[in-house]
């Protein structure tokens, strides 16, 4: 496949994740009131999706190593489009949560497949550069998501925002069916055997390079998720923004993320993976600490959060391409399984953070506070910098695994 087509496919497959989470964020307070839901139930529409997203990758990964990336992508995208339609017609919050769980499970096939495709086609350093290009496309979709979600929910209600996901999923499936050529050169017929699967997991989970990059990915995504899960309530309920204004803030955040992915590509060539991540760790720590300190000082305003958060999200655009390529780098013959395990860890951390935030934040405007958001970002910024400056620097070189998983003879 031409490199341009690979980048387009990566952007669409990876971009399903921010579309699925960001597009309906401006509508989340209205959705909560319309369905008579509690704050916990509203957060569950997001955290349950991520939990299903994380667990499903443990199944999609080995399936893709066995049967190839193409059939798994087509099955996952078809299921995603179906679940999106179901979400639009949910009569109550319980039905919506159920359809979002199915949607999250289907999303796992698309995102896991995208990461595995990069390892199928490219070595780790070049893979990080290609991943950064795909994540630039993801950033463009994220830019569109929140403003579009805000406009749709203002004009047509929250169901319209969820309906766009069905159209996007179907369009992505059509492109995969039309242009995607199987990237896995030699599927492993033994990949689904329990003993082989357990041995493969063991090889991956014992590899220090996997843990260095997977922990960086998980902490960085947890910081992003902290913002996604709480920002609509903070900016709309606590700080009084309209849904459209909130959508524009999300647009600006995504634009800075795009700059981060472009900067990542430039720095990888000059500094390499590990030094690029070290630079990004410094940006993360500065941004997160400023947000946390201003929150403690009582400076509760939109720009007291957003200006330092731009540093955080700029660094996130550098951590993610390096981490997603580095975590699967040592495992060319089990890229699907390695991608699945790193994605599972990311989502488990995000789910735990979502559960915590749901307990800390009220549903309405009374008692609304910025502190769950600002304190959470400060915590994750310290952890991200610690991982970037220690584990990644020591174990981040993507060397081959000592024992490759069993292959077909």
């Amino acid at each position: 496949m031409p490199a341009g087509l690979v980048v387009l496919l990566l952007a669409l497959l990876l971009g399903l994740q921010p579309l699925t989470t960001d597009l309906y964020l401006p509508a989340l307070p209205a959705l909560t009131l319309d369905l008579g839901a509690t704050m916990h139930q509203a957060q569950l529409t997001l955290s349950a999706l991520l939990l299903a997203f994380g667990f499903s990758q443990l199944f999609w990964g080995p399936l893709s190593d066995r049967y190839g990336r193409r059939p798994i992508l087509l099955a996952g995208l078809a299921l995603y489009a179906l679940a999106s339609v179901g979400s639009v017609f949910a009569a109550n919050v319980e039905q919506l949560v159920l359809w979002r769980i199915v949607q999250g499970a289907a999303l796992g096939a698309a995102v896991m497949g995208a990461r595995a495709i990069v390892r199928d086609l490219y070595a780790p350093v070049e893979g990080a550069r290609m991943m950064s290009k795909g994540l630039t496309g993801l950033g463009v979709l994220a830019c569109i998501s929140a403003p579009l979600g805000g406009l749709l929910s203002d004009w047509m209600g929250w169901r319209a925002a969820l309906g766009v996901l069905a159209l996007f999923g179907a369009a992505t499936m059509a492109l995969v069916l039309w242009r995607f050529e199987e990237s896995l050169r030699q599927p492993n017929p033994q990949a689904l055997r329990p003993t082989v699967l357990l041995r493969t997991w063991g090889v991956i989970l014992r590899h220090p390079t996997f843990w260095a990059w997977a922990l960086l990915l998980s902490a960085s995504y947890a910081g992003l998720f902290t913002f996604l899960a709480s920002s609509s309530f903070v900016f709309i309920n606590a700080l009084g923004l309209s849904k459209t204004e909130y959508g524009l803030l999300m647009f600006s955040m995504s634009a800075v993320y795009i700059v981060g992915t472009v900067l990542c590509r430039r720095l990888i060539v000059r500094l390499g993976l590990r030094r690029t991540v070290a630079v990004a760790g410094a940006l993360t720590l500065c941004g997160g600490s400023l947000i946390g300190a201003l929150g403690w000082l009582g400076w509760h305003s939109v720009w007291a959060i957003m200006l330092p958060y731009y540093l955080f999200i700029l660094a996130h655009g550098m951590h993610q391409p390096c981490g997603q390529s580095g975590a699967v780098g040592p495992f060319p013959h089990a890229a699907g399984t390695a991608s699945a395990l790193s994605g599972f860890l990311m989502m488990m951390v995000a789910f735990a953070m979502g559960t915590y935030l749901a307990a800390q934040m009220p549903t309405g405007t009374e008692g609304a506070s910025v502190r769950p958001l600002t304190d959470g970002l400060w915590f994750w910024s310290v952890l991200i910098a610690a991982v970037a400056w220690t584990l990644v620097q020591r174990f981040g070189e993507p060397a081959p695994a000592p024992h490759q998983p069993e292959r077909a003879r």
Side-chain angles (χ1 to χ4, degrees):
M1 291 179 291
L5 176 61
V6 174
V7 171
L8 175 61
L9 287 167
L10 289 177
L12 295 177
L13 293 171
L14 294 169
L16 275 174
Q17 185 176 353
L19 278 172
T20 307
T21 55
D22 295 10
L23 194 70
Y24 92 129
L25 285 179
L28 198 53
L31 177 155
T32 304
L33 294 174
D34 186 42
L35 296 180
T38 65
M39 175 64 184
H40 174 73
Q41 289 173 319
Q43 289 285 5
L44 199 59
T45 63
L46 186 58
S47 56
L49 176 140
L50 293 177
L51 189 64
F53 176 42
F55 272 106
S56 72
Q57 292 178 70
L58 297 179
F59 297 94
W60 293 122
L63 282 170
S64 74
D65 286 338
R66 170 62 183 89
Y67 295 108
R69 317 304 181 202
R70 180 182 168 87
I72 299 307
L73 288 174
L74 290 174
L77 291 168
L79 184 61
Y80 179 90
L82 175 64
S84 300
V85 173
S87 298
V88 173
F89 294 102
N92 51 55
V93 71
E94 290 80 11
Q95 289 183 17
L96 181 59
V97 169
L98 178 61
W99 281 116
R100 292 285 281 178
I101 289 172
V102 177
Q103 197 175 45
L107 179 64
V111 176
M112 176 285 307
R115 297 189 192 118
I117 288 166
V118 171
R119 188 61 189 95
D120 292 340
L121 300 177
Y122 306 101
V125 174
E126 181 61 22
R129 295 184 65 227
M130 290 298 292
M131 181 63 77
S132 73
K133 293 180 180 179
L135 290 174
T136 299
L138 175 152
V140 172
L141 291 173
C143 279
I144 298 169
S145 295
L148 179 61
L151 289 172
L152 287 173
S153 61
D154 275 339
W155 294 347
M156 302 173 64
W158 60 268
R159 296 180 190 274
L162 293 176
V164 171
L165 301 179
L167 297 176
F168 189 87
T172 304
M173 182 178 68
L175 181 63
V176 171
L177 185 64
W178 178 40
R179 295 296 306 273
F180 179 70
E181 299 174 16
E182 180 57 60
S183 61
L184 183 61
R185 296 181 181 179
Q186 187 178 354
N188 182 3
Q190 310 298 323
L192 296 179
R193 290 179 54 188
T195 54
V196 174
L197 184 57
L198 289 173
R199 186 159 58 248
T200 303
W201 282 351
V203 169
I204 294 169
L205 293 174
R206 288 194 301 269
H207 204 292
T209 298
F210 171 81
W211 278 108
W213 292 113
L215 289 175
L216 180 72
L217 281 172
S218 298
S220 184
Y221 185 77
L224 172 66
F225 182 77
T226 298
F227 186 87
L228 295 178
S230 60
S231 59
S232 62
F233 293 92
V234 167
F235 288 118
I236 294 173
N237 289 348
L239 300 179
L241 295 186
S242 69
K243 290 191 286 290
T244 301
E245 290 171 334
Y246 170 72
L248 291 174
L249 275 186
M250 297 292 286
F251 175 89
S252 69
M253 178 200 80
S254 299
V256 174
Y257 172 80
I258 292 173
V259 175
T261 62
V262 174
L263 182 61
C264 178
R265 292 200 291 277
R266 305 290 176 85
L267 291 180
I268 285 174
V269 175
R270 298 179 59 185
L271 304 178
L273 287 178
R274 289 181 292 180
R275 291 177 66 189
T276 297
V277 165
V279 171
L283 294 173
T284 302
L285 185 60
C286 289
S289 297
L290 276 172
I291 293 171
L294 293 175
W296 272 90
L297 291 172
W299 294 10
H300 299 168
S301 70
V302 172
W303 296 113
I305 296 172
M306 288 305 299
L307 289 178
Y309 186 70
Y310 289 145
L311 287 177
F312 186 101
I313 200 65
L314 179 75
H316 182 71
M318 299 162 68
H319 289 309
Q320 287 295 306
C322 296
Q324 292 190 27
S325 178
V328 301
F331 314 104
H333 303 308
T337 304
S339 169
L341 284 172
S342 66
F344 171 76
L345 292 172
M346 288 170 63
M347 293 309 110
M348 292 306 99
V349 173
F351 178 79
M353 193 63 194
T355 303
Y356 167 78
L357 290 170
Q360 298 297 313
M361 301 185 68
T363 302
T365 58
E366 185 177 352
S369 171
V370 305
R371 288 288 299 279
L373 171 61
T374 58
D375 291 351
L377 289 173
W378 196 357
F379 169 80
W380 289 116
S381 69
V382 172
L383 188 58
I384 292 165
V387 173
W389 293 342
T390 57
L391 294 179
V392 170
Q393 300 309 308
R394 183 175 181 184
F395 302 114
E397 189 66 32
H403 302 288
Q404 293 294 351
E406 182 177 333
R407 294 181 58 80
R409 292 178 174 83

